[in-house]
Amino acid sequence: MKERDELDRCDCNVIHEDVVNAVREKMPSEENLYDLAELFKVFGDTTRVKILWALDEAEMCVCDLAVLLNMTQSAISHQLRVLKQARLVKYRKEGKIVYYSLDDEHIKNIFDQGLIHINEKHWRGV
Amino acid sequence: MKERDELDRCDCNVIHEDVVNAVREKMPSEENLYDLAELFKVFGDTTRVKILWALDEAEMCVCDLAVLLNMTQSAISHQLRVLKQARLVKYRKEGKIVYYSLDDEHIKNIFDQGLIHINEKHWRGV
DNA sequence: TTAACACTTGAACAATTATTTATATTTATA
DNA sequence: TATAAATATAAATAATTGTTCAAGTGTTAA
């Protein structure tokens, strides 16, 4: 029975061993990289991107978002739950209406960086 | 049979109509928001985040990445394909070895913004 | 108290996706 | 030319996920 290491190791690793080890030492913790991926997973959905974009413009209630995005209140509510858990939105209750707003000033920055990438790649021709 | 609009519209929309309409006008195109979500979807996987982070440190071949991340060459190759399609990495061939490297200077910026969010939320207590 | 409203939640379903396994391709070497 | 090395790819599987549907809160108003 072969070991994992033995299975995947190939000759070029001997040549590149120093490089690989140097990178390994500089790598952030497993936990940090996991959290980072989890955060981007939240941004990786059209509905949530739209919600965040909308909330960056104005505070809105669930029903407003449902009409704006032409979706079910339930679907919006489910996604707001995800955004809440990721600490990206906060809310305040006013009677039976729940108003949501952004809970992070970096969202616009992250979006802008993303758009820069998209636009750059676009005029380079896809 | 009720219409979609009629189904989801609720009383508060009448009050918030102006706000919702204003936001609707300012919203980026459907296509832009879709592309943005697609980009973040690529960042939303631990393996890909690790690969990008590693390639930001040094150019590496598929085999190096497999050893570094303790994963199958096949798995790495599959993810590199995704990153290639998203124009986040580029490659050069040297004999039978294929060296991959970053194809975008904004990746580090996006990661940093993400980490700022994570760390901020962390000391606020989860 | 009852009914309507705004919203939340849980289960079910369809769709997507990351990894594995096995096979194919390309290049270097014996 | 035959073999091995480095990588790519195709199909299969398991796991995750977004939306819908139905039922459930909690708040307001009649």
Side-chain angles (χ1 to χ4, degrees):
Chain A
M1 187 66 171
K2 282 190 173 186
E3 288 290 322
R4 189 55 193 277
D5 273 1
E6 191 187 341
L7 196 71
D8 287 334
R9 188 171 301 278
C10 50
D11 295 355
C12 60
N13 290 135
V14 181
I15 314 168
H16 304 146
E17 204 174 9
D18 293 344
V19 177
V20 174
N21 284 335
V23 171
R24 197 195 308 273
E25 282 172 25
K26 282 194 175 183
M27 287 277 279
S29 71
E30 182 84 19
E31 193 200 354
N32 258 315
L33 293 171
Y34 178 82
D35 288 345
L36 198 58
E38 285 302 303
L39 175 65
F40 288 126
K41 207 173 282 180
V42 176
F43 288 116
D45 176 80
T46 318
T47 302
R48 289 193 292 265
V49 166
K50 286 177 187 171
I51 292 176
L52 290 172
W53 203 285
L55 293 182
D56 186 59
E57 294 291 335
E59 181 190 61
M60 295 175 95
C61 69
V62 182
C63 181
D64 291 336
L65 288 165
V67 171
L68 176 67
L69 306 185
N70 198 40
M71 290 179 71
T72 308
Q73 280 187 18
S74 178
I76 299 290
S77 187
H78 276 295
Q79 298 299 3
L80 283 170
R81 188 165 167 272
V82 175
L83 294 171
K84 225 186 308 176
Q85 284 175 339
R87 303 261 200 167
L88 293 169
V89 302
K90 59 177 187 283
Y91 65 94
R92 67 181 177 85
K93 294 183 78 171
E94 199 170 279
K96 52 186 169 181
I97 302 176
V98 182
Y99 289 96
Y100 280 86
S101 58
L102 289 196
D103 193 20
D104 193 291
E105 326 79 49
H106 308 295
I107 296 174
K108 201 57 178 285
N109 289 337
I110 296 175
F111 278 13
D112 287 340
Q113 289 291 329
L115 284 176
I116 289 171
H117 171 84
I118 290 167
N119 293 326
E120 260 185 11
K121 301 294 160 171
H122 199 259
W123 57 253
R124 276 171 61 186
V126 175
Chain B
M1 188 66 173
K2 282 191 173 182
E3 289 291 322
R4 192 42 187 293
D5 274 359
E6 191 187 342
L7 197 71
D8 287 334
R9 189 172 300 278
C10 50
D11 294 355
C12 60
N13 290 136
V14 181
I15 313 168
H16 304 145
E17 204 173 8
D18 292 344
V19 177
V20 174
N21 285 334
V23 171
R24 197 195 309 272
E25 283 172 24
K26 281 195 177 183
M27 288 276 279
S29 70
E30 182 83 18
E31 193 199 353
N32 258 315
L33 293 171
Y34 178 82
D35 289 345
L36 198 58
E38 286 300 304
L39 176 65
F40 286 127
K41 207 173 282 179
V42 175
F43 288 116
D45 176 81
T46 319
T47 302
R48 288 193 292 264
V49 166
K50 286 177 186 171
I51 292 175
L52 290 171
W53 203 286
L55 293 181
D56 187 58
E57 294 291 336
E59 181 189 60
M60 294 175 96
C61 69
V62 182
C63 181
D64 291 336
L65 288 165
V67 171
L68 177 66
L69 307 184
N70 197 40
M71 290 179 70
T72 308
Q73 281 186 17
S74 179
I76 299 290
S77 189
H78 275 294
Q79 297 299 2
L80 284 170
R81 188 164 167 272
V82 175
L83 294 171
K84 225 187 308 175
Q85 283 175 340
R87 304 258 200 169
L88 293 169
V89 302
K90 58 178 188 281
Y91 66 94
R92 68 181 177 85
K93 294 184 78 171
E94 198 170 279
K96 52 186 170 182
I97 302 176
V98 181
Y99 289 96
Y100 280 86
S101 59
L102 288 197
D103 193 22
D104 193 291
E105 325 81 48
H106 309 295
I107 296 173
K108 201 57 178 287
N109 289 336
I110 296 176
F111 278 13
D112 288 340
Q113 288 292 328
L115 283 176
I116 289 172
H117 171 86
I118 290 166
N119 292 328
E120 259 185 13
K121 302 294 160 171
H122 199 258
W123 56 254
R124 276 169 60 185
V126 175

